Amino acid sequence: MEAVKVVFAGTPEFALPSLEALANHPQMEVAAVYTQPDRPAGRGKKLTPSPVKRLAVSLGVPVLQPDTLKTAVAVETLQNLGPALMVVTAYGLILPSAILAVPRLGCVNVHASLLPRWRGAAPIQRAIEAGDTVTGVTLMQMESGLDSGPMLASETVTIEPLDTAASLHDRLAAAGGRLLAENLDALLNGELESEPQAVEGVTYATKLSREESVVDWHLDAESISRRIRAFNPWPMAETRLGEVRLRLLLAEPVANCLVGEMPGEVLSANADGIVIACGDGAVRVTQLQKPGSRPMAVRDFLNGNPIAEGQRLG
């Protein structure tokens, strides 16, 4: 049987299991991989390929890195590849209608939420920030709207109490690759039934910004701890201790803590964590980082950076 030509579009680590699912399918030929242009990274700001590009090169698959797909040249390039299907996972560029119309079987997206909840750019982080206890991945037929197309399949993933965006990302990425692999045959054979997204329950996961990273200690403990975990590994929740900027990587609310303290005041600091008063309740920070240093557990951090009860953060 002649292999079915597919193209893949993705950029970060989240997309890797989905690309692997396509590359490992016996009836598919990955004709090309689209990924965003190399970006400066590291202290030397050296141009660095995306994780998807590195995997594609290792697989011997041609790589395309256009700045935009909104040109006649981009449409013609895709047409010349002759794909029956295009799979998109965390690509980061908008696919215009002219691109969506090229593949015979259309374009499908592996999205990191249970749609219609958390359409948009940052579904993993916003789910943790909102206090959701479950999320998942959705295989969706793409259309011109933002993550609004009909759903083809989904898988639910539990959000654990101490999940960070990094830990949840890894489980969702694996689930996305698994979901795609399990449904590829049915997708190729036209056997997947689509389901329109519900009108009720639509939420949007707006893009993260560095401006959100500064901790407001006047918020309640639950909200602060969720934001700290949601912003790990980027943009990282930040606060100040005097002139020192601290990144907070992991935290949890403290039950039955002292009340009436000033928000941001250190209630205790020991090997178990740094307990900090909030507008309502307190949080225990268990992992943090100084600029230029590696992330550290509180036990190790306090050995060289003593913090005293009564000091104020913020």
Side-chain angles (χ1 to χ4, degrees):
M1 179 182 295
E2 185 177 350
V4 177
K5 279 190 176 183
V6 299
V7 293
F8 181 79
T11 297
E13 287 88 348
F14 183 84
L16 298 182
S18 295
L19 175 54
E20 291 169 345
L22 294 178
N24 292 330
H25 194 282
Q27 295 180 348
M28 288 192 167
E29 173 196 346
V30 183
V33 164
Y34 285 76
T35 191
Q36 291 206 34
D38 297 358
R39 307 292 189 197
R43 293 184 178 179
K45 298 300 180 183
K46 180 180 178 181
L47 284 179
T48 303
S50 72
V52 165
K53 179 178 180 178
R54 293 195 295 270
L55 177 57
V57 170
S58 73
L59 294 172
V61 177
V63 176
L64 301 174
Q65 296 177 274
D67 290 316
T68 179
L69 295 177
K70 298 178 181 180
T71 66
V73 171
V75 176
E76 183 179 0
T77 299
L78 184 60
Q79 289 172 334
N80 290 338
L81 290 169
L85 176 69
M86 185 171 189
V87 176
V88 181
T89 307
Y91 181 31
L93 291 183
I94 294 174
L95 272 63
S97 298
I99 291 288
L100 295 174
V102 172
R104 172 174 55 84
L105 297 173
C107 302
V108 298
N109 176 238
V110 180
H111 183 75
S113 79
L114 296 176
L115 294 169
R117 187 162 178 80
W118 303 128
R119 296 176 182 176
I124 299 173
Q125 296 88 342
R126 298 306 183 192
I128 294 175
E129 183 185 19
D132 292 0
T133 57
V134 294
T135 184
V137 285
T138 303
L139 184 63
M140 177 197 72
Q141 193 79 44
M142 297 181 70
E143 58 181 29
S144 56
L146 177 62
D147 299 328
S148 60
M151 301 176 295
L152 301 169
S154 64
E155 180 176 329
T156 298
V157 173
T158 299
I159 300 178
E160 302 296 341
L162 291 182
D163 260 331
T164 63
S167 62
L168 182 57
H169 164 282
D170 292 348
R171 297 205 306 283
L172 288 171
R178 186 167 57 245
L179 183 68
L180 181 63
E182 291 172 352
N183 287 280
L184 276 175
D185 288 339
L187 186 61
L188 293 179
N189 296 329
E191 298 170 352
L192 277 183
E193 295 186 9
S194 63
E195 177 186 354
Q197 292 187 36
V199 176
E200 301 80 16
V202 175
T203 58
Y204 289 92
T206 55
K207 187 176 181 180
L208 299 176
S209 69
R210 288 195 181 276
E211 289 71 26
E212 295 179 87
S213 65
V214 178
V215 176
D216 180 358
W217 295 107
H218 291 85
L219 297 177
D220 64 276
E222 185 67 41
S223 297
I224 290 173
S225 64
R226 291 199 305 253
R227 294 192 90 186
I228 289 171
R229 292 184 288 106
F231 294 173
N232 178 359
W234 195 91
M236 290 290 192
E238 291 188 352
T239 191
R240 285 188 176 274
L241 179 62
E243 297 300 316
V244 179
R245 180 165 56 90
L246 298 177
R247 288 179 169 176
L248 309 181
L249 281 65
L250 192 61
E252 60 183 337
V254 180
N256 303 318
C257 67
L258 296 174
V259 295
E261 307 295 337
M262 291 290 292
E265 183 175 345
V266 175
L267 303 180
S268 65
N270 53 48
D272 294 328
I274 303 169
V275 178
I276 305 159
C278 306
D280 182 7
V283 298
R284 176 181 289 108
V285 175
T286 56
Q287 190 178 63
L288 67 169
Q289 181 181 15
K290 286 173 60 177
S293 300
R294 60 180 177 83
M296 286 184 273
V298 162
R299 177 191 302 272
D300 299 323
F301 182 88
L302 292 176
N303 285 336
N305 305 273
I307 296 177
E309 180 180 332
Q311 287 187 276
R312 187 91 179 273
L313 298 176

